[in-house]
């Protein structure tokens, strides 16, 4: 019972960490970044390289953020920017980028599965049950990411500009906000967050050149039902992630794997605004 | 894209042979001769490529023509394959069962397409949402196949089941080739027909289609279901040929590969996706053994480059080059415009338009509040008021049942309830938008044809040589000279001509309540007088009830039989032109005095 509850909370935290970068990009650029899975993979391999150099495994997180943000900047400038007016084409181009990233990693690191040293091992006793310390720490990290983003959006000039672009880009541009720059920075931050998410999940499983792809669709669906709000994303992760954990353990893991996608599709059909207030 | 598709239909060689016929002949020869000139390995691979190409064509029809980016066609291919795999493995394989499994596969995939279509396409759904649903479909199908245990063979699938064992590889090549030629031939015929134009019209401007009375979600569901059947048939053929079915055949990686082939070959053309699928899949088989990752990397890089730089794909580029140096396109003959006899509408005694207590809120903001209007046939009612008074919102509430927050709207005595715009059109509403809203890539004639779609769905085989239009629409076309520009793409028209074309399109609907949102915005003085004369004439002779949003008070004074003044979401005056012109209240409203008005009203 306790462990199931913790599973729900930690799964929601993992989903939140993965989806938050996608949400930011979707809110500002109004496109779904299909390279998100590829960028997560990149973060996983950044973690692998960090630990292979014998560095502290916690350094994997800033390393992944840096790699993701830099690659994100290049992608935004070269591929995404010309496609602002063609959102469906942006999906395709970013999907193609995901393929390119996956193949480059395969060429560089081989297609095999590799394991990354976990920064924290062992369990923590909670009400008499042992639970993975790392998964618990992930909840704190996800919360920190969410709080940092809220502070960025609500406490800085950049955040104000970004929120203005999210609400009404034409008006924002009319008021002298450089929306191109806002988009550029947002995409870089979103990419950095994707890579961080990739680095965060590697100790739980392993790295391989396609590790990001299975997470991709669930992350999209969570973003679509959340609109562009960090709070409704949290609600969506808890509700749908919770449903996934319950169905996986009570019914079948295979059906659990499609729970988020199917539930989100039905929610959007019945209520197109999803969990967002609208 | 549309021009490429249109030019396909009209292109001929110097000797007058249509180019598509030459392509068809070349394809037949290539398929017939293939097994004699190619080695067995190539023939083997190409059977697969030919089946895949047929599936890629369905992606092209949905995405290139109709504008639905779909990643889910692989699911239908997989369903068709698994139908024969499952029946042959668990029941057996006789000629009767072979036919049954084909039909079962097609029926199952059409059923799934219907359900997914209902989920993905509804009034107000975004294109992105439909794409994501199409991405979820193959993932769900694959997970269900995994969950099927021994019945579906789980992750390894089913193999070695009985099939048409005595059919040689060469024969399979001919079967797959013939299947592809038939699918491509039908697809070409279809997209070149009037019905094919409808797909392009929906892609170009779905909103205008809905306001022309077309139920676009239903059209999309039908197209989705029909293409699902083709995919299932291809999957059936492929499974019978390989006697292997596996979850990858239904997976989303294959679904995205299909999109890549179509994008590279040329969406919105028939030949491009076929060539893209056959060449890339064939080359993949040849090269992926030696350089698997490099090959994928090249495909991925070329794909991104093509999407960014040449969104139409590679074939249209070659086509443009050939057209530049090659055969001239024969100018197409414009269709003839014919006047239709007027329908005499059974005389209703009530008002043509009745609005009771209509309100529109955004949260606590009231844009419209307590609007009561009743207008009879033959009236020309002008809605005036300063910016933000709620004029356009009121027009929207009449033309779309889902817009208002409260109140009732009835057209000719029929409540619109929560009807979508296409159903309001069927009650007799015709709406002209503020910005000229036409189909940019279609010709004037095709735009007019689209406007007649609710009076009879166009042919799926041919182009009509005549367009029947009601007298008022013809009158607008002739007086503005649009009848001399029938073959001109609408985007090349001047602003005034576009406005006139849209008015003609709306009149072609034979509406009884005509809603016009600033029909003279941006027009010259002469054009304005012309439109004004036409409107007065329509109200007088055709007994139309016309509701007009207008800023130009001189224009309003000249043509209106009645004026309604809106201010801050309420009706402040409803009376004759003289009432309004002499009203101090109206002067106050337009002078911008917000305070005095509340007290005066």
């Amino acid at each position: 019972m306790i462990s199931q509850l913790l599973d729900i909370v930690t799964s929601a935290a993992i989903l939140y960490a993965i989806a938050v970068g996608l949400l930011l990009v979707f809110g500002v650029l109004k496109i779904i970044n299909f390279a998100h899975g590829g960028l997560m993979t990149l973060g996983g391999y950044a973690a692998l390289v960090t630990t292979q150099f014998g560095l502290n495994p916690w350094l994997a997180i800033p390393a992944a953020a840096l790699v993701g943000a830099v690659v994100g900047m290049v992608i935004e400038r070269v591929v995404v920017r010309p496609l602002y007016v063609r959102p469906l084409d942006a999906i395709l181009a970013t999907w193609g980028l995901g393929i390119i990233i996956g193949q480059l990693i395969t060429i560089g690191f081989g297609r095999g599965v590799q394991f990354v040293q976990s920064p924290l091992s062992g369990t923590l006793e909670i009400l008499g049950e042992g639970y993975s310390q790392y998964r618990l720490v992930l909840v704190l990290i996800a919360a920190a990411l969410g709080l940092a983003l809220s502070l960025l959006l609500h406490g800085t000039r950049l955040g104000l500009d970004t929120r203005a672009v999210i609400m009404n880009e034409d008006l924002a541009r009319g008021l002298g906000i450089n929306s191109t720059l806002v988009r550029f920075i947002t995409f870089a931050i979103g990419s950095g967050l994707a890579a961080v998410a990739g680095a965060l999940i590697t100790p739980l499983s392993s790295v391989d050149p396609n590790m990001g792809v299975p997470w991709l669709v669930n992350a999209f669906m969570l973003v679509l039902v959340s609109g562009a709000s960090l709070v409704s994303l949290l609600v969506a992760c808890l509700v749908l992630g919770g449903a996934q954990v319950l169905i996986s353990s009570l019914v079948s893991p295979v059906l659990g794997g499609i729970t988020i996608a199917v539930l989100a599709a039905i929610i959007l059909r019945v209520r197109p605004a999803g969990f967002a207030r609208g | 894209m549309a021009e490429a598709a249109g030019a396909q239909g009209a292109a001929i060689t110097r000797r007058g042979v249509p180019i598509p016929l030459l392509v068809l002949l070349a394809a037949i020869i290539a398929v017939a001769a293939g097994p004699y000139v190619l080695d067995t390995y190539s023939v083997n691979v190409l059977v697969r490529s030919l089946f895949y190409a047929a599936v890629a064509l369905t992606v092209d029809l949905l995405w290139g023509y109709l504008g639905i980016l779909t990643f889910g066609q692989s699911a239908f291919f997989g369903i068709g394959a698994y139908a024969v795999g499952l029946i042959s493995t668990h029941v057996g394989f006789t000629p009767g069962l072979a036919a049954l499994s084909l039909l079962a596969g097609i029926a199952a995939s059409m059923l799934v397409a219907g359900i997914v279509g209902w989920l993905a396409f509804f009034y107000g759904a975004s294109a992105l949402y439909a794409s994501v649903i199409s991405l979820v479909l193959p993932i769900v199908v694959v997970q269900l196949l995994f969950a099927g245990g021994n019945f579906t063979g789980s992750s390894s699938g089913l193999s070695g089941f009985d099939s048409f064992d005595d059919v040689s590889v060469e024969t399979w090549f001919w079967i797959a080739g013939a299947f592809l030629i038939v699918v491509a031939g039908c697809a070409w015929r279809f997209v070149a027909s009037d019905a094919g134009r409808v797909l392009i019209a929906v892609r170009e401007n779905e909103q205008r289609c809905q306001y022309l009375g077309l139920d676009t979600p239903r059209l999309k569901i039908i197209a989705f279901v029909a293409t699902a059947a083709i995919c299932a048939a291809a999957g059936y053929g492929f499974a019978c040929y390989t006697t292997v079915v596996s979850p990858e055949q239904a997976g989303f990686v294959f679904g995205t590969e299909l999109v890549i082939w179509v994008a590279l070959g040329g969406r919105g053309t028939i030949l491009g996706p076929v060539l893209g699928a056959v060449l890339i899949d064939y080359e993949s088989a040849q090269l992926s053994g030696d350089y698997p990752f490099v090959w994928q990397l090249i495909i991925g890089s070329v794909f991104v480059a093509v999407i960014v730089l040449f969104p139409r794909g590679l074939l249209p580029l070659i086509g443009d080059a050939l057209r530049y140096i090659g055969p001239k396109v024969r100018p197409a003959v414009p269709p003839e415009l014919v006047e239709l006899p007027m329908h005499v509408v059974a005389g209703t005694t009530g008002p043509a338009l009745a609005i009771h207590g209509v309100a529109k809120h955004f949260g606590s903001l009231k844009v419209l509040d307590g609007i009561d209007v009743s207008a009879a046939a033959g009236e020309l009612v002008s809605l005036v008021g300063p910016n933000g008074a709620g004029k356009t919102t009121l027009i929207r509430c009449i033309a779309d049942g889902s817009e208002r927050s409260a109140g009732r709207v009835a057209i000719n005595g029929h409540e619109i309830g929560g009807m979508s715009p296409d159903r309001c059109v069927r009650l007799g509403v015709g709406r002209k938008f503020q910005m000229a809203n036409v189909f940019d890539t279609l010709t004037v004639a095709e735009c007019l044809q689209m406007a007649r779609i609710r009076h009879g769905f166009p042919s799926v085989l041919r182009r009509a040589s005549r367009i029947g239009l009601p007298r008022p629409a013809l009158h607008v076309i002739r007086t503005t000279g649009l009848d001399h520009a029938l073959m001109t793409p609408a985007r090349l028209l001047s602003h005034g001509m576009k406005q006139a074309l849209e008015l003609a399109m709306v009149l072609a609907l034979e509406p009884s309540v005509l809603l016009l949102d600033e029909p003279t915005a941006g027009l010259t003085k002469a054009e304005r007088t012309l439109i004004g004369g036409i409107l007065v004439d329509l109200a007088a002779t055709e007994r139309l009830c016309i509701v007009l949003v207008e800023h130009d008070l001189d224009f309003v004074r000249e043509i209106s039989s009645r004026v309604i003044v809106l201010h801050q979401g309420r009706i402040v005056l409803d009376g004759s032109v003289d009432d309004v012109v002499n009203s101090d209240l109206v002067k106050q409203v337009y002078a911008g005095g917000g305070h005095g008005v509340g007290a005066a009203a």
Side-chain angles (χ1 to χ4, degrees):
Chain A
M1 187 58 206
I2 286 292
S3 81
Q4 211 158 56
L5 207 64
L6 289 173
D7 274 346
I8 290 176
V9 174
T10 53
S11 300
I14 293 167
L15 288 168
Y16 191 82
I18 291 170
V20 76
L22 201 61
L23 179 100
L24 197 64
V25 172
F26 181 64
V28 175
L29 283 77
K30 312 288 185 293
I31 63 159
I32 288 275
N33 176 17
F34 267 49
H36 199 77
L39 289 162
M40 282 174 67
T41 312
L42 215 53
Y45 277 86
L48 179 73
V49 172
T50 311
T51 53
Q52 275 177 350
F53 275 127
L55 297 170
N56 184 336
W58 287 113
L59 284 177
I61 296 172
L66 187 69
V67 172
V70 170
V71 173
M73 286 179 197
V74 177
I75 291 177
E76 200 280 343
R77 185 65 199 85
V78 178
V79 176
V80 176
R81 197 173 293 178
L83 298 179
Y84 283 157
V85 285
R86 296 187 267 145
L88 286 186
D89 282 3
I91 290 185
L92 290 176
T94 50
W95 171 252
L97 285 169
I99 296 178
I100 294 174
I101 293 173
Q103 298 308 321
L104 285 175
I105 287 175
T106 310
I107 291 169
F109 293 87
R111 68 192 308 181
V113 172
Q114 302 185 61
F115 294 92
V116 176
Q117 186 198 341
S118 175
L120 255 185
S121 51
T123 56
L124 195 72
E125 287 276 314
I126 295 180
L127 296 175
E129 282 191 66
Y131 200 83
S132 155
Q133 278 188 30
Y134 184 71
R135 282 183 77 97
L136 292 171
V137 170
L138 275 186
V139 178
L140 297 179
I141 296 176
L145 283 178
L147 278 178
L149 266 186
S150 307
L151 282 178
L152 186 71
L153 282 175
H154 293 275
T156 65
R157 178 62 206 255
L158 173 69
L160 185 68
D161 288 358
T162 307
R163 281 185 295 140
V165 172
I166 291 175
M167 279 177 205
N168 187 340
E169 177 159 2
D170 292 331
L171 184 61
R173 211 179 303 131
L175 294 173
I177 291 173
N178 184 348
S179 68
T180 309
L181 184 67
V182 170
R183 284 161 171 265
F184 178 71
I185 296 173
T186 306
F187 198 89
I189 295 176
S191 303
L193 286 169
V196 167
L200 288 176
I201 59 169
T202 43
L204 298 175
S205 50
S206 55
V207 292
D208 69 78
N210 294 311
M211 60 175 275
V213 176
W215 295 95
L216 204 58
V217 172
N218 281 347
F220 293 155
M221 297 314 277
L222 288 168
V223 168
L224 283 185
V225 293
S226 310
S229 149
L230 290 170
V231 179
S232 35
L233 180 65
L234 183 62
V235 176
C237 287
L238 277 170
V239 172
L240 297 180
Q244 180 186 36
V245 170
L246 291 179
I247 290 178
S248 297
S249 60
L250 301 178
V251 187
S252 106
V254 175
L255 290 182
I258 55 174
T259 302
I260 292 180
V262 172
L263 281 183
I266 294 169
I267 288 170
L268 287 169
R269 177 65 173 89
V270 179
R271 186 180 146 83
F275 285 107
R277 277 165 290 167
Chain B
M1 275 174 275
E3 293 127 286
Q8 265 180 3
I12 52 160
T13 61
R14 287 197 182 82
R15 294 193 181 163
V17 185
I19 284 179
L21 217 62
L22 286 182
V23 172
L24 185 71
L25 209 65
I28 291 173
I29 292 170
V31 168
Y36 299 109
V37 295
L38 295 165
D39 58 288
T40 316
Y41 176 75
S42 298
V43 172
N44 222 321
V45 171
L46 277 170
V47 175
R48 179 181 80 177
S49 308
L50 293 171
F51 278 125
Y52 283 1
V55 183
L57 258 182
T58 68
V59 173
D60 180 43
L61 286 174
L62 290 177
W63 176 41
Y65 288 91
L66 191 49
I68 307 166
L69 174 58
T70 171
F71 300 97
Q73 296 304 90
S74 54
F76 305 123
F77 183 85
I79 290 172
Y82 267 88
V84 62
L86 288 171
I87 291 178
S88 180
T89 304
H90 298 294
V91 186
F93 194 83
T94 62
L97 285 172
L100 178 77
S101 41
L102 174 62
L103 292 178
I106 290 177
S109 62
M110 287 172 83
L111 180 70
V112 172
I115 295 169
V116 174
W118 172 83
L119 207 56
F121 311 119
F122 55 94
Y123 177 61
S126 74
L128 182 66
Y129 173 69
S131 284
V132 172
I133 293 293
S134 82
L135 186 65
V136 170
L137 169 67
I139 290 168
V140 170
V141 170
V142 167
Q143 291 300 320
L144 291 179
L145 291 174
F146 280 161
N150 284 336
F151 182 67
T152 57
S154 196
S155 60
S156 47
L158 303 166
S159 59
F161 49 81
D162 291 333
S163 174
F164 304 100
D165 294 329
D166 44 359
V167 179
S168 67
V169 177
E170 288 74 22
T171 313
W172 273 115
F173 183 86
W174 287 319
I175 292 172
F179 178 70
L180 176 60
I181 288 175
V182 169
V183 170
C186 292
W188 174 77
R189 191 74 211 234
F190 173 70
V191 299
S193 74
D194 286 337
R197 299 286 105 168
V198 178
L199 301 194
I200 294 172
V202 173
R203 182 191 73 199
E204 290 291 315
N205 192 341
E206 183 167 357
Q207 182 195 41
R208 183 72 265 181
C209 287
Q210 284 166 345
Y211 280 92
L212 290 175
L214 183 65
D215 186 347
T216 54
R218 191 159 146 258
L219 178 85
K220 287 179 172 180
I221 293 172
I222 292 171
F224 202 56
V225 169
T227 60
I230 298 171
C231 295
Y236 171 85
F238 183 63
C240 286
Y241 163 64
T242 56
T243 68
V244 175
V245 294
S246 64
E248 289 79 43
Q249 290 164 1
F252 95 108
V253 172
F254 178 40
T256 51
E257 271 180 307
L258 291 165
V259 174
I260 292 175
W261 299 336
V262 173
L264 290 181
R267 60 177 113 154
T269 68
I270 295 295
L271 197 56
V274 169
L275 291 178
V278 171
L279 293 178
I280 298 173
D281 185 54
Y282 176 76
E283 280 306 313
S284 298
Q286 302 285 348
L287 293 177
S288 62
D290 303 329
Y291 319 98
F293 312 127
V294 178
W295 171 246
Q296 287 293 316
L297 184 63
I298 293 171
I299 290 288
S301 311
V302 174
F303 174 61
V304 174
V306 165
I307 290 288
V308 175
L309 301 174
F310 314 108
R312 288 159 65 212
L314 295 176
L315 184 78
L317 285 183
I318 301 170
D320 285 352
L322 286 181
R323 251 193 299 284
Y324 190 64
I325 55 169
K328 289 280 170 283
V329 173
R330 180 171 49 189
V333 185
E336 183 194 353
L337 298 180
V338 199
E339 184 173 330
L340 287 177
M342 289 300 291
H343 294 283
V344 182
V345 185
T348 43
T349 45
L353 171 67
I355 300 173
H356 292 292
V358 162
K360 171 79 179 175
H361 314 300
F362 292 101
S364 59
L365 179 70
K366 288 183 178 175
V367 181
L368 282 180
D369 197 22
I371 301 289
D372 293 297
V373 177
S374 178
E379 276 197 276
L380 205 164
V381 183
S382 287
L383 282 179
V384 299
N387 283 330
K391 305 182 296 290
T392 300
T393 308
L394 180 57
I395 295 280
R396 239 187 251 145
C397 289
I398 302 170
D400 179 351
S402 62
E403 280 284 338
R404 66 191 188 282
S405 314
R408 304 202 325 263
V409 174
I411 306 295
N412 299 317
H414 300 283
E415 294 276 340
I416 68 166
M419 285 184 184
S420 53
D422 57 291
R423 294 178 63 203
C424 293
V425 168
R426 268 171 259 171
L427 290 183
V429 176
R431 176 181 176 195
K432 201 204 144 308
F433 289 82
Q434 190 168 353
M435 311 294 280
N437 194 345
V438 294
F439 302 106
D440 278 346
T441 59
L442 298 192
T443 64
V444 170
E446 287 165 347
C447 287
L448 291 169
Q449 248 174 330
M450 276 302 300
R452 292 298 295 173
I453 194 166
R454 84 184 178 97
H455 295 91
F457 200 81
S459 162
V460 296
L461 289 178
R462 42 187 69 81
R463 309 297 292 266
S465 56
R466 48 172 55 194
I467 306 172
L469 292 174
R471 206 186 62 81
L474 266 185
H475 179 63
V476 172
I477 292 166
R478 293 201 172 125
T479 45
T480 53
L482 273 172
D483 51 344
H484 300 298
L486 285 178
M487 300 311 283
T488 308
R491 68 169 188 284
L492 300 182
L493 296 176
S494 71
H495 177 72
M497 290 289 248
K498 268 190 203 172
Q499 294 276 30
L501 174 60
E502 197 195 357
L503 181 61
M505 286 164 69
V506 175
L507 289 173
L509 296 170
E510 299 179 45
S512 49
V513 176
L514 182 60
L515 308 173
L516 303 169
D517 201 344
E518 297 196 38
T520 63
L523 295 194
T524 63
K525 181 76 186 153
E527 287 169 329
R528 213 176 310 185
T529 314
L530 181 68
I531 298 271
I534 290 170
L535 295 182
V536 171
D537 181 53
L538 283 172
T541 58
E542 312 292 347
R543 307 293 296 157
L544 256 61
C545 170
I546 302 178
V547 179
L548 182 82
V549 170
E550 192 50 74
H551 273 301
D552 181 347
L553 288 182
D554 291 332
F555 183 70
V556 166
R557 197 186 322 197
E558 277 164 37
I559 66 167
S560 311
S561 62
R562 190 173 138 201
V563 180
I564 292 176
V565 184
L566 275 175
H567 182 55
Q568 294 179 344
R570 290 175 168 277
I571 293 179
V572 292
L573 200 98
D574 181 349
S576 70
V577 173
D578 290 336
D579 292 344
V580 172
V581 170
N582 299 325
S583 159
D584 291 336
L585 183 64
V586 173
K587 283 175 196 144
Q588 257 177 317
V589 165
Y590 270 91
H595 330 287
V597 175

